[in-house]
């Protein structure tokens, strides 16, 4: 079946602009996760959704970051007033349900470059 | 405090050699899960294995094997008879319930870049 898909695959934006990153999880997976991968910080967990609910938003780097999920499926990660330090690969993952036991399946990522 | 440590930043071996990637973790939980992921040059993280804290049996899957030792908080990964296609960055990750939700994201190590030379 289809894996996790993300769009766009690459995004170049000017500092100060807003961007929206999209994730489409594996069908039937109720949990969805966002991570950021950068050279300096490695792989950082940002936020997860169980259904449409995000119980803990403390992993988001700043209040310029927000995420939502509707219909228990597609999720968007929005970065407002982008800064150069936001440049990274943003990865989305999904799992059958939330919980420690379930492996997460990752999408190909969106490479964000802020100029 | 760093919770997952992969001390080997880069390893380079010649094809057909065996290679072991080290992973040391830290947690206050008694129940937790450990994972290995592979990230080939294409960039997509590929799930390799999951192990829970109560199961210390070693696991073998083809040329891959994993050694989990709670006494040393280690979960090492060995590739036997390495092949060029094994070249990738390998990540060890931890999932624990300490933060309360039991469903937080994975905590990854920094990764080990494995280079298999022909």
């Amino acid at each position: 079946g289809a894996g996790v898909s993300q769009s766009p695959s690459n995004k170049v934006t000017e500092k100060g602009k807003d961007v929206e990153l999209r994730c489409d999880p594996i069908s039937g997976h109720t949990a969805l996760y966002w991570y950021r991968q950068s050279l300096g910080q490695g792989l950082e967990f940002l936020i997860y959704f169980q259904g449409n609910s995000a119980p803990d938003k403390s992993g988001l780097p700043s209040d310029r970051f927000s995420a939502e999920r509707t219909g228990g499926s597609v999720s968007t990660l929005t970065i407002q007033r982008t800064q150069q330090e936001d440049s990274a690969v943003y990865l989305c993952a999904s799992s059958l349900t939330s919980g420690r036991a379930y492996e997460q399946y990752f999408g190909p990522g969106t490479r964000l470059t802020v100029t | 405090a760093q919770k997952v440590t992969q001390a080997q930043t880069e390893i380079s071996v010649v094809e057909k050699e065996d290679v072991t990637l080290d992973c040391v973790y830290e947690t206050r939980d008694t129940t937790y899960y450990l994972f290995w992921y592979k990230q080939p040059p294409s960039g997509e993280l590929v799930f390799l294995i999951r192990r829970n804290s109560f199961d210390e049996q070693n696991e073998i899957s083809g040329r891959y094997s994993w050694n989990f030792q709670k006494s040393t908080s280690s979960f090492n990964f060995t590739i036997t008879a390495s092949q060029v296609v094994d070249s990738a960055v390998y990540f060890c990750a931890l999932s624990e319930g300490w933060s309360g939700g039991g469903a937080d994201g994975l905590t990854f190590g920094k990764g080990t870049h494995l280079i298999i030379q022909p």
Side-chain angles (χ1 to χ4, degrees), chain B residues 10 20-21 23 28 31-32 35 40 56 62 72 75-76 80 82 102 109 114-115:
Chain B
E10 185 174 288
T20 295
L21 310 181
C23 173
R28 283 175 276 187
T31 302
Y32 52 89
F35 302 78
E56 287 194 72
T72 56
F75 186 41
N76 297 338
T80 304
S82 60
L114 178 62
I115 301 167

Side-chain angles (χ1 to χ4, degrees), chain A residues 4 33 35 37 40-45 48 56 91 98-108, chain B residues 29 31-33 35 37 39 43-45 47 50 91 95-97 101-106 108 110:
Chain A
V4 178
Y33 303 79
Y35 294 83
Q37 185 173 25
Q41 300 299 321
L43 272 155
E44 301 172 84
F45 166 67
Y48 88 93
D56 182 1
L91 295 166
S98 60
R100 296 169 288 188
Y102 296 92
E103 60 266 28
Q104 297 174 22
Y105 295 91
F106 284 79
Chain B
D29 264 7
T31 302
Y32 52 89
Y33 289 79
F35 302 78
Y37 282 84
Q39 189 174 41
E44 197 157 333
L45 278 161
F47 166 75
R50 176 192 68 230
F91 291 93
S95 179
E96 56 185 347
D104 288 344
L106 298 171
F108 285 88
K110 295 290 188 186

Side-chain angles (χ1 to χ4, degrees), chain A residues 11-72:
Chain A
K11 177 72 176 178
V12 180
T13 190
E14 290 180 357
K15 178 180 169 182
K17 295 276 175 74
D18 298 352
V19 295
E20 262 190 17
L21 312 180
R22 176 190 166 107
C23 172
D24 204 338
I26 292 172
S27 177
H29 281 193
T30 63
L32 184 149
Y33 303 79
W34 284 98
Y35 294 83
R36 178 168 73 172
Q37 185 173 25
S38 59
L39 277 176
Q41 300 299 321
L43 272 155
E44 301 172 84
F45 166 67
L46 300 179
I47 192 170
Y48 88 93
F49 290 88
Q50 175 56 44
N52 293 333
S53 173
D56 182 1
K57 301 182 180 179
S58 62
L60 294 174
S62 76
D63 57 10
R64 296 184 295 104
F65 286 70
S66 62
E68 66 174 15
R69 188 179 186 196
T70 54

Side-chain angles (χ1 to χ4, degrees), chain B residues 58-108:
Chain B
N58 290 334
E59 182 153 343
I60 298 174
S61 175
R63 297 183 297 106
Y64 295 172
S65 62
W66 291 268
N67 184 323
F68 174 35
Q69 292 197 333
K70 285 179 77 170
S71 60
T72 56
S73 296
S74 64
F75 186 41
N76 297 338
F77 173 30
T78 298
I79 301 175
T80 304
S82 60
Q83 300 176 2
V84 172
V85 293
D86 295 326
S87 296
V89 180
Y90 290 85
F91 291 93
C92 180
L94 168 70
S95 179
E96 56 185 347
W98 164 247
S99 54
D104 288 344
L106 298 171
T107 299
F108 285 88

